[in-house]
Amino acid sequence: MTIDITTMPAYELPAVVLDLDLSEPLPAVPAVGADGRRVRKAWILVRQFTQPLGAVLTDVPESGLTPADLAVAIGNELHRPVSADGIAVEQEPEFLARRRAVLATAPHITVVICTRERPGALARCLDSLIAQQYPGFRILVVDNAPETTATAEVVHSAARRGPVDYLIEPRAGLSFARNTAVRAAPGQILAWIDDDEVADPHWLAEVARALAEHPDADVVSGVIVPAELETQAQLWFEQFGGHSKGRGFTPAVFSPATAHIQSPLYPLPPFGTGANMTFRPGVIERIGMFDTALGAGTPAMGSEDTLAFTQVLLAGGKIVYQPSAVTHHYHRRDLAGLRKQMVGYGTGLVAAYTSLLMARPGVFCGLLKLVPGALRDLTGKDTARTATLQDDFPRDLLAANRRGMLAGPRAYFRGRRAAKRR
């Protein structure tokens, strides 16, 4: 099914994005937004005392949603009673007490943004990082193969307001930029965020809390939620799982001890994504750095992060999923951009497997055993991959994803040749 979303009514808003805390009174959600568009749905990040509890997507009727309606919708999704009037407390909630204790001895963190010619998005991201409620951090911007001085100008402006440093990596490709950051920050905790995101004010605090509560963790990954759902393409991306791929808001730990429950090889990536990941010092160097034949700017288009997570686990490491470490992502707004992204997901995934097999031929048998499950996920009508898709989801996007998978091996070898030339 191919849909031209340019023919959809411009006076409709697919979904309004709300960030609500149950400790405060719930608002009403009008059916018409401030810009006059009819609001069709509400996507809600639900918190309690700033701790994320879950996400809710609910229809907005022509009469709008009252606070009581909103409480019912949230309660039904979270399977718990919810008051529209908020929660009164007499002492500091445990969640906040744990965060405060961690902040008293918080480690220094270097936040890395790899960017290329997106000064507007970068400025927005930097603003959110400078506003972090965290005592000790710096921001390192890696300008990847710049064609103009726009990125440098944004960084220099931000540096007057916060601890922002600037590096240039002249070779185009996200993995080249990532590796440049690793080499420039030896012995440092590296927290990665993309330039088309903004960080929750407590993002770094929650990363630090995960590191403190899991001293043997090599990697901490957080949750990525939509910053807006202004177009149908953005809503469809969320139907496909968004960046968090249905991981939900329950903390999890992945290690060799959990391999019988969750294979480090598939389904990928259940462990996290490169747009919200933190590595302890030395971990990236230990796995041989990011593969420069993978990632944005290569024929594979992505999955350098997926391969890195897999390599950490296969080497006996531990990854902690910390859903309280939140970033907000601005998805691609147009259908063409979404289709390209779906192709890239498929291409990058299989390219990452190609890289893994070249480095570790012994994983072949393990991958072979996972093929039947992967085929069910790809073709089934009610699998973890497809269960969240609505009737209006363009099925040709799934076909585009599969086409990308077929192109993965060739894309990887093209990327290897190109990386060697650079």
Side-chain angles (χ1 to χ4, degrees), residues 94-123:
E94 181 183 355
F95 175 77
L96 297 183
R98 293 200 308 271
R99 179 192 291 160
R100 183 168 54 82
V102 167
L103 290 178
T105 58
H108 188 274
I109 296 177
T110 294
V111 180
V112 184
I113 313 170
C114 299
T115 186
R116 188 169 194 231
E117 301 300 340
R118 295 205 286 193
L122 176 63

Side-chain angles (χ1 to χ4, degrees), residues 255-256 263-265 307-317 356 360 363:
S255 73
S263 168
L265 299 173
L307 179 62
F309 293 138
T310 303
Q311 289 171 319
V312 167
L313 291 172
L314 290 177
L356 185 65
R360 291 173 170 260
V363 305

Side-chain angles (χ1 to χ4, degrees), residues 62 74 133 216 332 413:
E62 291 187 2
I74 293 172
Q133 297 185 23
D216 57 343
R332 289 171 171 81
F413 289 115

Side-chain angles (χ1 to χ4, degrees), residues 18 126 164 181 217 248 254-255 265 288 308 320 401:
L18 304 174
L126 286 170
V164 187
F254 303 97
S255 73
L265 299 173
V320 171
N401 185 241

Side-chain angles (χ1 to χ4, degrees), residues 110 162 188 191 250 256 323 337 397:
T110 294
Q188 298 178 34
T250 302
L397 292 178

